[in-house]
Each structure stands twice: as structure tokens, then as C-alpha cells.
Short mmCIF file of all heavy atoms in Angstrom, two decimals:
data_model
loop_
_atom_site.label_atom_id
_atom_site.label_comp_id
_atom_site.label_asym_id
_atom_site.label_seq_id
_atom_site.Cartn_x
_atom_site.Cartn_y
_atom_site.Cartn_z
N MET A 459 19.68 63.55 16.06
CA MET A 459 19.45 64.71 16.80
C MET A 459 20.69 64.96 17.62
O MET A 459 21.16 64.18 18.41
CB MET A 459 18.17 64.69 17.62
CG MET A 459 17.92 65.84 18.50
SD MET A 459 16.59 65.69 19.59
CE MET A 459 15.63 66.95 19.02
N ALA A 460 21.26 66.17 17.53
CA ALA A 460 22.48 66.57 18.26
C ALA A 460 22.15 66.80 19.75
O ALA A 460 21.14 67.30 20.13
CB ALA A 460 23.06 67.79 17.61
N ASN A 461 23.07 66.27 20.59
CA ASN A 461 22.85 66.53 22.04
C ASN A 461 24.22 67.11 22.65
O ASN A 461 24.35 66.99 23.86
CB ASN A 461 22.39 65.32 22.74
CG ASN A 461 23.31 64.16 22.75
OD1 ASN A 461 24.40 64.19 22.01
ND2 ASN A 461 23.01 63.00 23.26
N ILE A 462 25.05 67.58 21.85
CA ILE A 462 26.43 68.12 22.32
C ILE A 462 26.55 69.49 21.72
O ILE A 462 26.39 69.68 20.53
CB ILE A 462 27.58 67.29 21.86
CG1 ILE A 462 27.53 65.91 22.38
CG2 ILE A 462 28.87 67.89 22.27
CD1 ILE A 462 28.58 64.92 21.91
N GLY A 463 26.81 70.50 22.63
CA GLY A 463 26.93 71.90 22.27
C GLY A 463 28.23 72.09 21.49
O GLY A 463 29.10 71.28 21.43
N THR A 464 28.30 73.24 20.85
CA THR A 464 29.42 73.65 20.00
C THR A 464 30.77 73.66 20.76
O THR A 464 31.75 73.11 20.22
CB THR A 464 29.20 75.03 19.35
OG1 THR A 464 27.89 74.99 18.64
CG2 THR A 464 30.28 75.35 18.38
N THR A 465 30.80 74.29 21.87
CA THR A 465 32.11 74.34 22.63
C THR A 465 32.55 73.02 23.05
O THR A 465 33.72 72.66 22.91
CB THR A 465 31.87 75.18 23.85
OG1 THR A 465 31.32 76.51 23.52
CG2 THR A 465 33.19 75.40 24.65
N GLU A 466 31.64 72.17 23.49
CA GLU A 466 31.98 70.80 23.94
C GLU A 466 32.46 69.99 22.73
O GLU A 466 33.33 69.16 22.90
CB GLU A 466 30.75 70.19 24.59
CG GLU A 466 31.10 68.82 25.15
CD GLU A 466 29.98 68.16 25.92
OE1 GLU A 466 28.99 68.86 26.11
OE2 GLU A 466 30.13 67.05 26.37
N ARG A 467 31.80 70.19 21.63
CA ARG A 467 32.18 69.50 20.38
C ARG A 467 33.65 69.81 20.04
O ARG A 467 34.47 68.93 19.71
CB ARG A 467 31.34 69.80 19.19
CG ARG A 467 29.99 69.20 19.30
CD ARG A 467 29.11 69.60 18.12
NE ARG A 467 29.48 68.86 17.00
CZ ARG A 467 28.90 68.85 15.83
NH1 ARG A 467 27.88 69.60 15.64
NH2 ARG A 467 29.37 68.12 14.77
N ILE A 468 34.01 71.09 20.08
CA ILE A 468 35.38 71.46 19.80
C ILE A 468 36.39 70.88 20.79
O ILE A 468 37.47 70.39 20.35
CB ILE A 468 35.49 73.07 19.81
CG1 ILE A 468 34.67 73.65 18.67
CG2 ILE A 468 36.88 73.52 19.73
CD1 ILE A 468 34.47 75.14 18.71
N VAL A 469 36.04 70.89 22.04
CA VAL A 469 36.95 70.31 23.03
C VAL A 469 37.12 68.79 22.78
O VAL A 469 38.20 68.36 22.92
CB VAL A 469 36.42 70.61 24.48
CG1 VAL A 469 37.15 69.78 25.50
CG2 VAL A 469 36.43 72.01 24.74
N ARG A 470 36.02 68.15 22.50
CA ARG A 470 36.13 66.66 22.24
C ARG A 470 36.97 66.35 21.06
O ARG A 470 37.77 65.41 21.10
CB ARG A 470 34.72 66.11 22.10
CG ARG A 470 33.87 65.95 23.27
CD ARG A 470 32.51 65.46 22.98
NE ARG A 470 31.72 65.39 24.19
CZ ARG A 470 31.15 64.23 24.60
NH1 ARG A 470 31.35 63.15 23.97
NH2 ARG A 470 30.41 64.26 25.66
N VAL A 471 36.87 67.15 20.02
CA VAL A 471 37.69 66.91 18.78
C VAL A 471 39.18 67.11 19.15
O VAL A 471 39.98 66.30 18.73
CB VAL A 471 37.22 67.81 17.68
CG1 VAL A 471 38.25 67.80 16.49
CG2 VAL A 471 35.89 67.35 17.18
N ILE A 472 39.50 68.18 19.85
CA ILE A 472 40.87 68.46 20.25
C ILE A 472 41.46 67.36 21.09
O ILE A 472 42.51 66.95 20.84
CB ILE A 472 41.00 69.92 20.93
CG1 ILE A 472 40.67 70.91 19.89
CG2 ILE A 472 42.31 70.05 21.52
CD1 ILE A 472 40.52 72.29 20.49
N VAL A 473 40.71 66.98 22.12
CA VAL A 473 41.15 65.89 22.98
C VAL A 473 41.41 64.63 22.30
O VAL A 473 42.32 63.90 22.43
CB VAL A 473 40.20 65.76 24.20
CG1 VAL A 473 40.52 64.50 24.97
CG2 VAL A 473 40.29 66.97 25.15
N GLY A 474 40.41 64.29 21.42
CA GLY A 474 40.54 63.12 20.63
C GLY A 474 41.74 63.09 19.74
O GLY A 474 42.42 62.08 19.66
N LEU A 475 41.95 64.19 19.08
CA LEU A 475 43.12 64.23 18.20
C LEU A 475 44.48 64.15 18.91
O LEU A 475 45.33 63.56 18.52
CB LEU A 475 43.08 65.57 17.38
CG LEU A 475 42.02 65.60 16.28
CD1 LEU A 475 41.96 66.92 15.64
CD2 LEU A 475 42.35 64.54 15.23
N MET A 476 44.53 64.81 20.13
CA MET A 476 45.67 64.75 21.00
C MET A 476 46.03 63.37 21.46
O MET A 476 47.14 62.85 21.39
CB MET A 476 45.55 65.65 22.22
CG MET A 476 45.68 67.10 21.84
SD MET A 476 45.37 68.32 23.20
CE MET A 476 45.94 67.52 24.61
N LEU A 477 44.92 62.61 21.79
CA LEU A 477 45.13 61.20 22.32
C LEU A 477 45.65 60.34 21.17
O LEU A 477 46.50 59.51 21.26
CB LEU A 477 43.88 60.66 22.93
CG LEU A 477 43.56 61.18 24.29
CD1 LEU A 477 42.12 60.75 24.74
CD2 LEU A 477 44.55 60.70 25.29
N ILE A 478 45.05 60.51 19.96
CA ILE A 478 45.45 59.70 18.87
C ILE A 478 46.94 59.97 18.42
O ILE A 478 47.70 59.19 18.09
CB ILE A 478 44.47 59.92 17.63
CG1 ILE A 478 43.18 59.26 18.08
CG2 ILE A 478 44.98 59.24 16.39
CD1 ILE A 478 42.00 59.67 17.08
N ALA A 479 47.31 61.30 18.49
CA ALA A 479 48.64 61.75 18.16
C ALA A 479 49.57 61.11 19.15
O ALA A 479 50.72 60.72 18.76
CB ALA A 479 48.76 63.26 18.20
N LEU A 480 49.28 61.03 20.47
CA LEU A 480 50.16 60.43 21.39
C LEU A 480 50.39 58.88 21.06
O LEU A 480 51.42 58.47 21.44
CB LEU A 480 49.50 60.60 22.83
CG LEU A 480 49.57 61.93 23.45
CD1 LEU A 480 48.82 61.96 24.75
CD2 LEU A 480 51.05 62.39 23.64
N TYR A 481 49.44 58.27 20.45
CA TYR A 481 49.63 56.90 20.05
C TYR A 481 50.87 56.83 19.15
O TYR A 481 51.67 55.84 19.20
CB TYR A 481 48.42 56.37 19.36
CG TYR A 481 48.59 54.98 18.88
CD1 TYR A 481 48.38 53.92 19.71
CD2 TYR A 481 48.80 54.75 17.48
CE1 TYR A 481 48.51 52.61 19.20
CE2 TYR A 481 48.98 53.39 17.03
CZ TYR A 481 48.75 52.38 17.87
OH TYR A 481 48.86 51.08 17.46
N PHE A 482 51.02 57.76 18.27
CA PHE A 482 52.18 57.71 17.26
C PHE A 482 53.41 58.32 17.87
O PHE A 482 54.46 58.01 17.50
CB PHE A 482 51.71 58.45 16.01
CG PHE A 482 50.64 57.74 15.29
CD1 PHE A 482 49.34 58.24 15.38
CD2 PHE A 482 50.82 56.59 14.65
CE1 PHE A 482 48.29 57.59 14.75
CE2 PHE A 482 49.75 55.91 14.00
CZ PHE A 482 48.47 56.46 14.06
N VAL A 483 53.25 59.22 18.81
CA VAL A 483 54.50 59.93 19.37
C VAL A 483 55.23 58.98 20.37
O VAL A 483 56.43 59.10 20.37
CB VAL A 483 54.04 61.22 20.14
CG1 VAL A 483 55.20 61.92 20.84
CG2 VAL A 483 53.51 62.23 19.00
N TYR A 484 54.55 58.28 21.11
CA TYR A 484 55.09 57.34 22.08
C TYR A 484 54.94 55.94 21.77
O TYR A 484 54.14 55.14 22.40
CB TYR A 484 54.51 57.60 23.47
CG TYR A 484 54.83 58.96 24.00
CD1 TYR A 484 53.90 59.91 24.13
CD2 TYR A 484 56.12 59.32 24.37
CE1 TYR A 484 54.15 61.23 24.63
CE2 TYR A 484 56.46 60.55 24.86
CZ TYR A 484 55.44 61.56 24.98
OH TYR A 484 55.70 62.80 25.45
N PRO A 485 55.63 55.42 20.66
CA PRO A 485 55.42 54.01 20.27
C PRO A 485 55.87 52.94 21.26
O PRO A 485 55.42 51.78 21.25
CB PRO A 485 56.21 53.89 19.02
CG PRO A 485 57.29 54.95 19.01
CD PRO A 485 56.62 56.04 19.96
N ALA A 486 56.76 53.30 22.26
CA ALA A 486 57.27 52.32 23.18
C ALA A 486 56.47 52.39 24.51
O ALA A 486 56.83 51.68 25.49
CB ALA A 486 58.73 52.57 23.45
N ALA A 487 55.47 53.24 24.60
CA ALA A 487 54.72 53.36 25.83
C ALA A 487 53.99 52.07 26.15
O ALA A 487 53.35 51.46 25.35
CB ALA A 487 53.74 54.56 25.70
N PRO A 488 54.04 51.66 27.44
CA PRO A 488 53.25 50.54 27.87
C PRO A 488 51.77 50.90 27.75
O PRO A 488 51.37 52.00 28.08
CB PRO A 488 53.73 50.21 29.24
CG PRO A 488 54.28 51.47 29.81
CD PRO A 488 54.77 52.27 28.53
N MET A 489 50.94 49.93 27.40
CA MET A 489 49.52 50.21 27.31
C MET A 489 49.22 51.28 26.29
O MET A 489 48.29 52.08 26.51
CB MET A 489 48.88 50.48 28.65
CG MET A 489 49.10 49.31 29.57
SD MET A 489 48.34 49.51 31.23
CE MET A 489 46.57 49.29 30.74
N ARG A 490 50.01 51.36 25.21
CA ARG A 490 49.88 52.39 24.22
C ARG A 490 48.51 52.43 23.56
O ARG A 490 48.04 53.41 23.13
CB ARG A 490 51.03 52.17 23.17
CG ARG A 490 50.91 52.92 21.91
CD ARG A 490 52.05 52.54 20.99
NE ARG A 490 51.61 52.79 19.68
CZ ARG A 490 52.24 52.39 18.59
NH1 ARG A 490 53.27 51.70 18.66
NH2 ARG A 490 51.78 52.71 17.41
N TRP A 491 47.83 51.30 23.49
CA TRP A 491 46.53 51.13 22.90
C TRP A 491 45.50 52.02 23.53
O TRP A 491 44.50 52.30 22.92
CB TRP A 491 46.16 49.71 22.84
CG TRP A 491 46.03 49.07 24.22
CD1 TRP A 491 47.03 48.40 24.93
CD2 TRP A 491 44.84 49.08 25.10
NE1 TRP A 491 46.52 48.07 26.20
CE2 TRP A 491 45.25 48.41 26.26
CE3 TRP A 491 43.57 49.61 24.99
CZ2 TRP A 491 44.31 48.29 27.33
CZ3 TRP A 491 42.70 49.43 26.08
CH2 TRP A 491 43.08 48.75 27.12
N LEU A 492 45.79 52.43 24.82
CA LEU A 492 44.82 53.22 25.46
C LEU A 492 44.63 54.63 24.76
O LEU A 492 43.60 55.29 24.92
CB LEU A 492 45.21 53.49 26.92
CG LEU A 492 44.93 52.22 27.92
CD1 LEU A 492 45.44 52.52 29.26
CD2 LEU A 492 43.45 51.94 27.94
N PHE A 493 45.76 55.03 24.09
CA PHE A 493 45.65 56.36 23.41
C PHE A 493 44.63 56.24 22.23
O PHE A 493 44.06 57.32 21.82
CB PHE A 493 46.98 56.71 22.86
CG PHE A 493 48.02 57.06 23.86
CD1 PHE A 493 49.29 56.59 23.75
CD2 PHE A 493 47.77 57.96 24.93
CE1 PHE A 493 50.19 56.89 24.73
CE2 PHE A 493 48.66 58.30 25.87
CZ PHE A 493 49.93 57.81 25.77
N LEU A 494 44.35 55.01 21.79
CA LEU A 494 43.38 54.90 20.75
C LEU A 494 41.92 55.16 21.15
O LEU A 494 41.00 55.37 20.39
CB LEU A 494 43.46 53.56 20.05
CG LEU A 494 44.71 53.25 19.25
CD1 LEU A 494 44.80 51.91 18.75
CD2 LEU A 494 44.81 54.31 18.10
N LEU A 495 41.70 55.27 22.50
CA LEU A 495 40.40 55.62 22.96
C LEU A 495 40.06 57.09 22.60
O LEU A 495 38.94 57.48 22.76
CB LEU A 495 40.38 55.52 24.52
CG LEU A 495 40.49 54.00 25.05
CD1 LEU A 495 40.49 54.01 26.61
CD2 LEU A 495 39.26 53.28 24.52
N GLY A 496 41.02 57.78 22.10
CA GLY A 496 40.74 59.15 21.58
C GLY A 496 39.77 59.10 20.38
O GLY A 496 39.23 60.03 20.04
N ILE A 497 39.55 57.95 19.79
CA ILE A 497 38.65 57.79 18.73
C ILE A 497 37.16 58.19 19.20
O ILE A 497 36.44 58.72 18.47
CB ILE A 497 38.70 56.39 18.08
CG1 ILE A 497 40.06 56.14 17.45
CG2 ILE A 497 37.53 56.13 17.13
CD1 ILE A 497 40.31 54.79 16.98
N LEU A 498 36.90 57.80 20.42
CA LEU A 498 35.52 58.04 21.00
C LEU A 498 35.20 59.56 21.11
O LEU A 498 34.17 59.95 20.56
CB LEU A 498 35.39 57.36 22.37
CG LEU A 498 35.42 55.82 22.33
CD1 LEU A 498 35.39 55.26 23.72
CD2 LEU A 498 34.25 55.29 21.48
N PRO A 499 36.05 60.38 21.75
CA PRO A 499 35.70 61.77 21.86
C PRO A 499 35.76 62.41 20.45
O PRO A 499 34.98 63.35 20.17
CB PRO A 499 36.66 62.35 22.81
CG PRO A 499 37.79 61.42 22.89
CD PRO A 499 37.18 60.07 22.61
N LEU A 500 36.67 61.88 19.52
CA LEU A 500 36.78 62.52 18.23
C LEU A 500 35.44 62.26 17.42
O LEU A 500 34.88 63.08 16.84
CB LEU A 500 37.96 61.90 17.47
CG LEU A 500 38.11 62.35 16.07
CD1 LEU A 500 38.40 63.93 15.95
CD2 LEU A 500 39.29 61.64 15.36
N ALA A 501 34.96 60.97 17.49
CA ALA A 501 33.79 60.59 16.74
C ALA A 501 32.57 61.40 17.38
O ALA A 501 31.72 61.90 16.63
CB ALA A 501 33.52 59.15 16.91
N THR A 502 32.38 61.49 18.65
CA THR A 502 31.26 62.14 19.19
C THR A 502 31.34 63.65 18.94
O THR A 502 30.30 64.29 18.77
CB THR A 502 31.07 61.83 20.80
OG1 THR A 502 32.32 62.32 21.38
CG2 THR A 502 30.85 60.47 21.01
N GLY A 503 32.49 64.13 18.94
CA GLY A 503 32.68 65.61 18.59
C GLY A 503 32.31 65.91 17.20
O GLY A 503 31.66 66.90 16.88
N LEU A 504 32.73 64.99 16.25
CA LEU A 504 32.40 65.29 14.84
C LEU A 504 30.95 65.05 14.56
O LEU A 504 30.34 65.70 13.74
CB LEU A 504 33.24 64.31 13.97
CG LEU A 504 34.80 64.62 13.99
CD1 LEU A 504 35.51 63.62 13.20
CD2 LEU A 504 35.02 66.03 13.40
N LEU A 505 30.31 64.03 15.21
CA LEU A 505 28.93 63.74 14.96
C LEU A 505 27.94 64.66 15.69
O LEU A 505 26.85 64.88 15.32
CB LEU A 505 28.60 62.26 15.35
CG LEU A 505 29.29 61.19 14.52
CD1 LEU A 505 29.03 59.77 15.15
CD2 LEU A 505 28.85 61.30 13.18
N GLY A 506 28.34 65.13 16.91
CA GLY A 506 27.55 66.00 17.68
C GLY A 506 26.53 65.19 18.48
O GLY A 506 25.60 65.82 19.04
N TRP A 507 26.74 63.93 18.61
CA TRP A 507 25.82 63.10 19.32
C TRP A 507 26.55 62.13 20.18
O TRP A 507 27.50 61.57 19.75
CB TRP A 507 24.91 62.31 18.36
CG TRP A 507 23.92 61.40 18.99
CD1 TRP A 507 22.74 61.78 19.50
CD2 TRP A 507 24.03 60.01 19.21
NE1 TRP A 507 22.07 60.68 20.05
CE2 TRP A 507 22.85 59.59 19.89
CE3 TRP A 507 25.04 59.07 18.98
CZ2 TRP A 507 22.67 58.26 20.23
CZ3 TRP A 507 24.79 57.80 19.41
CH2 TRP A 507 23.64 57.40 20.00
N CYS A 508 26.12 62.04 21.44
CA CYS A 508 26.74 61.10 22.41
C CYS A 508 25.71 60.15 22.98
O CYS A 508 24.67 60.58 23.52
CB CYS A 508 27.37 61.83 23.53
SG CYS A 508 28.11 60.79 24.83
N GLY A 509 25.87 58.87 22.82
CA GLY A 509 24.99 57.83 23.23
C GLY A 509 24.81 57.88 24.74
O GLY A 509 23.70 57.69 25.22
N LEU A 510 25.83 58.08 25.47
CA LEU A 510 25.78 58.16 26.97
C LEU A 510 24.94 59.25 27.38
O LEU A 510 24.16 59.12 28.36
CB LEU A 510 27.20 58.19 27.54
CG LEU A 510 27.25 58.11 29.04
CD1 LEU A 510 26.67 56.80 29.57
CD2 LEU A 510 28.67 58.32 29.50
N TYR A 511 25.06 60.40 26.71
CA TYR A 511 24.20 61.53 27.07
C TYR A 511 22.72 61.19 26.77
O TYR A 511 21.86 61.59 27.54
CB TYR A 511 24.61 62.81 26.21
CG TYR A 511 25.73 63.60 26.77
CD1 TYR A 511 26.57 63.10 27.70
CD2 TYR A 511 25.93 64.89 26.36
CE1 TYR A 511 27.64 63.88 28.23
CE2 TYR A 511 26.97 65.68 26.83
CZ TYR A 511 27.83 65.21 27.81
OH TYR A 511 28.81 65.97 28.28
N THR A 512 22.38 60.48 25.77
CA THR A 512 21.13 60.00 25.57
C THR A 512 20.58 59.20 26.66
O THR A 512 19.44 59.45 27.08
CB THR A 512 21.03 59.34 24.20
OG1 THR A 512 21.50 60.20 23.10
CG2 THR A 512 19.60 58.94 23.84
N LEU A 513 21.33 58.22 27.06
CA LEU A 513 20.91 57.34 28.19
C LEU A 513 20.68 58.08 29.41
O LEU A 513 19.80 57.80 30.25
CB LEU A 513 21.90 56.24 28.37
CG LEU A 513 22.08 55.18 27.28
CD1 LEU A 513 23.18 54.26 27.59
CD2 LEU A 513 20.71 54.43 27.12
N LEU A 514 21.53 59.10 29.74
CA LEU A 514 21.47 59.93 30.95
C LEU A 514 20.51 61.07 30.83
O LEU A 514 20.21 61.80 31.85
CB LEU A 514 22.81 60.37 31.34
CG LEU A 514 23.84 59.28 31.69
CD1 LEU A 514 25.19 59.88 31.97
CD2 LEU A 514 23.33 58.42 32.87
N GLY A 515 19.97 61.40 29.71
CA GLY A 515 19.03 62.52 29.49
C GLY A 515 19.74 63.87 29.52
O GLY A 515 19.14 64.90 29.86
N ILE A 516 21.03 63.99 29.21
CA ILE A 516 21.77 65.18 29.15
C ILE A 516 21.79 65.77 27.78
O ILE A 516 21.88 65.06 26.77
CB ILE A 516 23.25 64.89 29.57
CG1 ILE A 516 23.31 64.41 30.97
CG2 ILE A 516 23.98 66.17 29.50
CD1 ILE A 516 24.62 63.93 31.52
N ASN A 517 21.67 67.02 27.62
CA ASN A 517 21.67 67.76 26.48
C ASN A 517 22.40 69.07 26.52
O ASN A 517 21.85 69.93 27.24
CB ASN A 517 20.27 68.01 25.82
CG ASN A 517 20.27 68.50 24.46
OD1 ASN A 517 21.25 68.96 23.85
ND2 ASN A 517 19.11 68.48 23.80
N THR A 518 23.57 69.28 26.04
CA THR A 518 24.29 70.55 26.17
C THR A 518 24.13 71.40 24.93
O THR A 518 24.70 72.42 24.84
CB THR A 518 25.84 70.34 26.39
OG1 THR A 518 26.37 69.58 25.43
CG2 THR A 518 25.96 69.51 27.71
N CYS A 519 23.36 70.96 24.00
CA CYS A 519 23.10 71.66 22.71
C CYS A 519 22.03 72.68 22.98
O CYS A 519 21.01 72.45 23.65
CB CYS A 519 22.67 70.74 21.59
SG CYS A 519 22.67 71.42 20.03
N ARG A 520 22.21 73.89 22.46
CA ARG A 520 21.25 74.86 22.58
C ARG A 520 19.99 74.44 21.90
O ARG A 520 20.01 74.00 20.69
CB ARG A 520 21.72 76.24 22.00
CG ARG A 520 22.71 76.97 22.92
CD ARG A 520 22.94 78.32 22.33
NE ARG A 520 23.89 79.00 23.20
CZ ARG A 520 24.52 80.10 22.80
NH1 ARG A 520 24.27 80.67 21.66
NH2 ARG A 520 25.40 80.70 23.62
N ARG A 521 18.86 74.92 22.44
CA ARG A 521 17.52 74.68 21.78
C ARG A 521 17.39 75.78 20.68
O ARG A 521 17.65 76.97 20.85
CB ARG A 521 16.39 74.78 22.75
CG ARG A 521 16.49 73.91 23.87
CD ARG A 521 15.83 72.58 23.56
NE ARG A 521 15.89 71.71 24.67
CZ ARG A 521 15.83 70.39 24.55
NH1 ARG A 521 15.59 69.88 23.37
NH2 ARG A 521 15.94 69.63 25.58
N ARG A 522 16.93 75.38 19.48
CA ARG A 522 16.70 76.32 18.48
C ARG A 522 15.21 76.66 18.18
O ARG A 522 14.34 75.83 18.33
CB ARG A 522 17.35 75.81 17.11
CG ARG A 522 18.84 75.81 17.29
CD ARG A 522 19.48 75.46 16.00
NE ARG A 522 20.87 75.49 16.16
CZ ARG A 522 21.73 74.84 15.38
NH1 ARG A 522 21.34 74.23 14.38
NH2 ARG A 522 23.01 75.01 15.61
#
């Protein structure tokens, strides 16, 4: 069951892709591995479901 709205999904995918791209753009950056955390917003944006939202009882998806 989806709990992330359309606008938020788009923002999460964009942010996730930007962070992953930074991993490859700045290979000499200290703590470069932190850019790989972009996988989390990318995955939640593509799936439309966020486990943390479920735990907190948050739902930004429109009711149909």
C-alpha cells in the first residue's frame, strides 16, 4: 500500500539521483560513501512506500 504522494515521490527520485550522481562526480571527496545514501530516497520514491512513514502513521498519498 502506497503512503507517499506523487509530488513527494518525484522529489525523492530527483534527490536520490542527484546524490548518486555526486558519488561519481566527486571521486576524491572525503566520506564519499555518504552520497550512496541517495539509494534510500530513490527506492522509496520508485516504490511509493516508506517504512518510516508507516511506523509514524504518516500518509501523504491521496485517498482514492
Side-chain angles (χ1 to χ4, degrees):
M459 177 181 239
N461 62 358
I462 300 175
T464 306
T465 305
E466 186 176 355
R467 288 179 74 175
I468 292 169
V469 170
R470 285 177 182 241
V471 169
I472 291 170
V473 168
L475 289 173
M476 286 175 32
L477 286 170
I478 293 169
L480 287 173
Y481 177 82
F482 296 103
V483 172
Y484 296 109
M489 299 182 71
R490 170 183 153 190
W491 59 272
L492 285 174
F493 292 134
L494 291 178
L495 291 176
I497 294 170
L498 294 173
L500 178 63
T502 58
L504 292 174
L505 295 174
W507 181 81
C508 178
L510 184 61
Y511 275 17
T512 303
L513 292 173
L514 297 175
I516 299 171
N517 187 350
T518 61
C519 190
R520 284 189 182 168
R521 302 269 181 204
R522 290 186 179 160

